[in-house]
Amino acid sequence: MTIWREWASYRRFRKLPPRERNIAFYSETYQDWHHLQPLSDFLTERLSRTVCHLTSEPAVALPSAPSGRLHAFRVGAGAVCTWLFQTLKVDVMVLTMLDLGNFQLKRSL
């Protein structure tokens, strides 16, 4: 994935109204999503909440929800992802990150 597509995905995320991006899930790879998907499904299907899924995974298809309440964005693992974490404004962020405090989140504003 090129950096231009990652920036386009970042911009699509930022253009969402705040109420549609107040809950965000981040998965570094597709292997993380199976831990996060049950909670995302519960929020979108049972509670009718809108959820954003951000990922650095370059190859696997992005998830979707039948209700249309899941927005998915591929932000890569480089500069765009770092910029995203530095400027992220959400109410709830759900993620699995083994290196918490070492990379992107350490530099978060």
Side-chain angles (χ1 to χ4, degrees):
M1 176 175 236
T2 68
I3 193 165
W4 303 116
R5 287 186 183 162
E6 293 168 1
W7 276 113
S9 190
Y10 168 78
R11 290 184 67 207
R12 276 190 314 108
F13 171 72
R14 295 290 296 191
K15 285 183 179 180
L16 283 175
R19 71 180 182 286
E20 289 198 25
R21 59 180 161 93
N22 66 345
I23 301 173
F25 286 76
Y26 174 73
S27 60
E28 284 185 288
T29 68
Y30 73 94
Q31 296 171 347
D32 297 333
W33 187 240
H34 74 274
H35 295 293
L36 303 174
Q37 187 174 9
L39 180 56
S40 174
D41 290 346
F42 180 81
L43 289 168
T44 57
E45 295 168 15
R46 301 275 310 273
L47 299 181
S48 300
R49 300 295 303 262
T50 300
V51 171
C52 290
H53 175 244
L54 306 158
T55 186
S56 294
E57 175 59 53
V60 176
L62 294 172
S64 62
S67 63
R69 290 190 175 95
L70 177 65
H71 302 288
F73 306 92
R74 198 179 310 271
V75 294
V80 176
C81 186
T82 300
W83 183 257
L84 170 79
F85 279 119
Q86 288 179 340
T87 61
L88 189 64
K89 292 181 181 176
V90 296
D91 293 331
V92 177
M93 182 71 175
V94 182
L95 64 148
T96 59
M97 247 184 162
L98 299 176
D99 55 359
L100 186 62
N102 291 328
F103 295 111
Q104 290 97 345
L105 295 180
K106 180 179 180 183
R107 295 185 295 253
S108 176
L109 300 174

